[in-house]
Amino acid sequence: MSGSLSRSVSLQSPEVGGGMAASLLQLPQGRGDQRQSQGPASGSSPLQHFVQAKKKINEIFKEVEGYVNETERFLETVPKEAGVAPDEVYAAAQEYGLKVAGIREVLERDHMKVAFFGRTSNGKSTAINSLLGEKILPTGIGHTTSCFLQVEGSHTGEAYLTTEKDDSHQSLQSLPQLGNALCAEKLDSNCKVKIHWPVEKCRLLGEEVVIIDSPGIDVEADLDEWIDKHCLDSDVFVLVANAESTIMLTEKKFFHKVSERLSNPNIFILHNRWDASAGEDQQDQVRNQHKERAVAFLTSELGICSKEDAEDRIFFISAKEALQTRLQEAKGQPPNIHTEDYFTRYLEYQQFEKKLEHCLSSTAVTTKFSAHTTRGRDIVVREGNMIGEVQDTASSRRNEEANNRKEMLDRLDFTERQLELMTHEMKDKICAIVEDVEYKVAKALSEEIRRLSVLVDEFSDPFHPDPLVVNVYKSKLNHHLESGVGSNLKARLSSDLQLNMETQQKDMMDRMTALLPLEKQTPLQVSRNILPRREAFEVLYHLNCDNLCSDFQEDLSFKFSLGFSCLMSRFMAAGQAKKRNGHQSYNSQYQNIPRPMSSHSTPETPSNEFMIPVDDWSLVSRLALASLSSQGTMGGLLVGGLLLKTVGWRVIAVSGAIYGVVYLYERITWTNQAKLKEFKRQYVDHAARKLRLIVDMTSANCSHQVQQELSSTFARLCHLVDESTAEMKDSAKQMEKSVRELEDIAGRAKVLRNQATFLSNKLEMFETTYLQTE
């Protein structure tokens, strides 16, 4: 304030200066009326900058908290099996949620905080009361304030106080006992009492300002604990010095400690009780001296501001006069103060208020919100980048899964089509192999039937015509015949059939294995699944000679070879041969007709009796039989007489002798060996006739075995391919589900990523609007 203004006012007499006093009081009085009428809703105060910034940043961080919570919930729904987010992402999301919750909690509590410090009885409490416009804090001479008193706004309209140990609402009437150093029930100097004053009664409190009053710094020695507990979150420090003396070393020491703990603290210096200098001749010199020392303390010793800034932070006031003026303003009355230069001091006090509010607002916005804004942007950007990586990974995995599914479906379609084509091809090939086997077996069995006598001659067991011995002999001969024919068939066919079967099975396995996935194409695994048995395939030839020759009845009685019955048998056999030749072309039409196969039954065979059709009998045979079957010899005599007349008796005699010799020879040579030979001849004829009847059935049975073996092998291969196609279908369905899940994850991640960008822009706009305007 200029000295000319103070001097001109001080030289006026009360009577003469009445008009000027009244005019100067209009500003304070109008300001007081505005304080009471508008309360915290005043929009012209610099403090509204902080209020608006706090409201805005709380709204933004509410959205940020919702975003990080939504991100955390989103990540919880993302299955870890999807592989789109590592474990670090889940942990980081939880950490970000806790950080944002902590920031929101701090922002809800954040307010502009100004702390008043100074030596005992320098007028700290009075200065605070003057700012509040009410006499709230206890004042007096000497050491009055015993502990820290924090004044903050109450939005319930109730005035009360709380302590650190008791959150219950206590009456303000207990404040003189708790915070007054002169009271026996006072608290320790390190304790803090919170005074909640209705915001309707004080504009500062309604605009998020908290004021701290402290005990004298020259009374307590533990200054470090004070700073750590009550000063680290203060935005502005006000040093209340006694204008009747200079700034003491105790005060300097305290603020040196504050400067060490805080970077560039905002310090205002109030030279209180400047009204004591009213009327003094050296008032200007003293003022300049205090001012120079204060500027040097702020700039040179603390180094927290420039000289120009320091000059704007040094004020000479009278807190007691300002309080009285405010109390009178509240009553709507002019102040009753007649001290010289009063209005100059009061105007400077108002200037202090204005500077304090401006500095407090700008500083508080920066100190309270700058770090939170930076941290918030860092969290949002980090989480946005993290979600962006999740989105990129999900999109990449989705494309990969979609390609894999397409490849799987293409492979499935190819496998099914190839399986269908191969099935038709294998059916045709199996049919061809079966026909070839049937032909080879029928041919080999026919050859064995033609050389059946050789196999029977090889049977050398002792023979006797006794019926019991003959039955045993026939049983052994049946086994010998079945074993020999079976062995010969195996020797002829087994190696060829086995080689053919192995070739066809290997071809099947090679072609069908190509349709299986790579992990199932190992030869060992396929061979175990397809060919579980260890022995090679072998065709079984079921001849069943016991049942086949069970109706064989040998005839070991002597039969003369030139006897009439033998001659007639030979004659009839020749006739039957001609008849068979006549019907051969007719029977050839039905050789290719399939016959029913049976591995258990034996075809019925005709009887061993010699049957001659009636139509084949000639006249001579009838006469001969009639002569043989008659009671007398009349027929024989008639024949003999006829021959006698025709050729003569000598020819007849010689023929009879020769006939008798031949008969005698055959009769003499009819031994057991001849009987054995005749038995084997009859057995060979009977067995050959019966085996010819089962040639088609045996060949069909063998071909059926081959067909079953190849069909079962192909069926097992088809089963493996069917299992593979079923697995591919399941995999395709799982891939489709995975693709949908990944699409959903990528879509939701994209929304969260865009939301992170939006919130980052909001925080950047907040920083531009509120943190870079000053």
Side-chain angles (χ1 to χ4, degrees), residues 227 231 237 253-262 265:
I227 297 171
C231 300
F237 295 88
K253 178 181 177 182
F254 174 79
F255 280 100
H256 273 294
K257 290 182 177 292
V258 171
S259 181
E260 291 173 1
R261 301 292 181 90
L262 299 176

Side-chain angles (χ1 to χ4, degrees), residues 72 75 80 85-99 383 386:
E72 187 174 354
L75 291 175
K80 294 186 177 181
D87 294 337
E88 295 79 7
V89 171
Y90 298 92
Q94 294 179 354
E95 181 182 356
Y96 291 150
L98 295 176
K99 286 182 177 180
E383 192 147 16
M386 183 176 69

Side-chain angles (χ1 to χ4, degrees), residues 666-735:
E666 289 185 1
R667 184 67 180 175
I668 292 173
T669 57
W670 186 247
T671 61
N672 286 343
Q673 190 66 28
K675 292 179 181 180
L676 174 62
K677 185 176 180 181
E678 178 64 19
F679 175 85
K680 288 185 176 180
R681 185 193 64 77
Q682 294 178 10
Y683 182 83
V684 167
D685 291 342
H686 180 81
R689 186 169 64 252
K690 289 301 184 72
L691 287 174
R692 288 189 186 98
L693 295 176
I694 65 169
V695 168
D696 292 342
M697 184 184 70
T698 303
S699 61
N701 184 26
C702 294
S703 64
H704 184 65
Q705 295 179 45
V706 173
Q707 182 181 7
Q708 282 187 333
E709 177 65 18
L710 292 176
S711 298
S712 62
T713 301
F714 185 69
R716 287 191 291 269
L717 283 167
C718 289
H719 180 67
L720 276 183
V721 176
D722 289 339
E723 287 183 348
S724 176
T725 55
E727 291 177 0
M728 285 191 284
K729 289 179 180 178
D730 293 339
S731 299
K733 291 180 180 179
Q734 188 64 31
M735 288 178 181

Side-chain angles (χ1 to χ4, degrees), residues 47-284:
L47 300 177
Q48 282 297 313
H49 181 67
F50 176 86
V51 176
Q52 295 170 1
K54 180 179 179 181
K55 180 180 178 182
K56 186 63 177 180
I57 197 170
N58 273 283
E59 291 175 355
I60 295 175
F61 267 91
K62 185 177 180 180
E63 295 181 17
V64 172
E65 185 178 31
Y67 167 73
V68 296
N69 291 337
E70 183 179 357
T71 302
E72 187 174 354
R73 289 192 298 270
F74 161 70
L75 291 175
E76 289 176 354
T77 60
V78 175
K80 294 186 177 181
E81 296 78 12
V84 298
D87 294 337
E88 295 79 7
V89 171
Y90 298 92
Q94 294 179 354
E95 181 182 356
Y96 291 150
L98 295 176
K99 286 182 177 180
V100 173
I103 293 175
R104 279 216 66 197
E105 185 179 355
V106 172
L107 287 175
E108 290 290 340
R109 298 196 312 264
D110 271 344
H111 39 244
M112 293 173 284
K113 187 174 182 180
V114 55
F116 284 75
F117 288 92
R119 290 185 295 116
T120 304
S121 193
N122 276 3
K124 299 183 295 296
S125 300
T126 304
I128 294 174
N129 286 335
S130 65
L131 288 175
L132 299 175
E134 295 280 349
K135 192 174 182 181
I136 301 174
L137 305 181
T139 58
I141 61 173
H143 184 198
T144 306
T145 305
S146 62
C147 63
F148 283 87
L149 302 178
Q150 177 173 309
V151 184
E152 58 186 58
S154 169
H155 295 275
T156 61
E158 178 187 3
Y160 60 93
L161 60 85
T162 58
T163 62
E164 293 177 329
K165 299 180 180 179
D166 187 4
D167 290 335
S168 62
H169 294 193
Q170 302 180 33
S171 174
L172 291 181
Q173 295 179 357
S174 60
L175 180 60
Q177 286 77 27
L178 296 175
N180 199 324
L182 301 177
C183 183
E185 299 178 2
K186 65 181 180 180
L187 298 173
D188 293 337
S189 61
N190 200 29
C191 296
K192 181 171 66 175
V193 176
K194 290 185 178 181
I195 302 169
H196 303 267
W197 190 254
V199 295
E200 294 82 2
K201 297 183 178 181
C202 181
R203 179 182 59 83
L204 288 178
L205 301 181
E207 294 179 345
E208 305 287 344
V209 176
V210 171
I211 303 175
I212 293 288
D213 189 12
S214 63
I217 58 177
D218 54 339
V219 176
E220 299 293 337
D222 197 359
L223 301 180
D224 292 331
E225 185 177 358
W226 280 16
I227 297 171
D228 293 335
K229 190 172 182 180
H230 304 292
C231 300
L232 293 181
D233 61 341
S234 296
D235 300 299
V236 175
F237 295 88
V238 179
L239 171 59
V240 182
N242 191 347
E244 298 182 58
S245 63
T246 187
I247 300 177
M248 299 298 182
L249 290 177
T250 305
E251 298 165 328
K252 291 184 178 182
K253 178 181 177 182
F254 174 79
F255 280 100
H256 273 294
K257 290 182 177 292
V258 171
S259 181
E260 291 173 1
R261 301 292 181 90
L262 299 176
S263 177
N264 296 326
N266 295 295
I267 301 176
F268 284 77
I269 299 178
L270 294 182
H271 291 87
N272 192 23
R273 299 181 181 173
W274 186 241
D275 56 328
S277 65
E280 294 291 334
D281 295 335
Q282 297 180 344
Q283 181 182 23
D284 293 337

Side-chain angles (χ1 to χ4, degrees), residues 623-690:
L623 292 176
L625 290 176
S627 66
L628 290 175
S629 59
S630 63
Q631 296 286 332
T633 59
M634 185 58 70
L637 293 176
L638 291 175
V639 173
L642 181 62
L643 292 175
L644 179 63
K645 290 182 178 182
T646 304
V647 298
W649 65 272
R650 289 185 179 85
V651 176
I652 294 174
V654 173
S655 299
I658 294 174
Y659 188 83
V661 171
V662 173
Y663 177 83
L664 181 62
Y665 173 78
E666 289 185 1
R667 184 67 180 175
I668 292 173
T669 57
W670 186 247
T671 61
N672 286 343
Q673 190 66 28
K675 292 179 181 180
L676 174 62
K677 185 176 180 181
E678 178 64 19
F679 175 85
K680 288 185 176 180
R681 185 193 64 77
Q682 294 178 10
Y683 182 83
V684 167
D685 291 342
H686 180 81
R689 186 169 64 252
K690 289 301 184 72

Side-chain angles (χ1 to χ4, degrees), residues 587-656:
N587 293 333
S588 64
Q589 300 177 6
Y590 302 95
Q591 289 181 355
N592 295 327
I593 298 177
R595 295 171 174 82
M597 295 181 294
S598 176
S599 59
H600 303 289
S601 63
T602 302
E604 296 181 359
T605 57
S607 173
N608 196 37
E609 298 177 357
F610 183 74
M611 303 295 293
I612 301 177
V614 180
D615 296 338
D616 294 338
W617 292 106
S618 63
L619 178 61
V620 178
S621 62
R622 291 181 182 181
L623 292 176
L625 290 176
S627 66
L628 290 175
S629 59
S630 63
Q631 296 286 332
T633 59
M634 185 58 70
L637 293 176
L638 291 175
V639 173
L642 181 62
L643 292 175
L644 179 63
K645 290 182 178 182
T646 304
V647 298
W649 65 272
R650 289 185 179 85
V651 176
I652 294 174
V654 173
S655 299

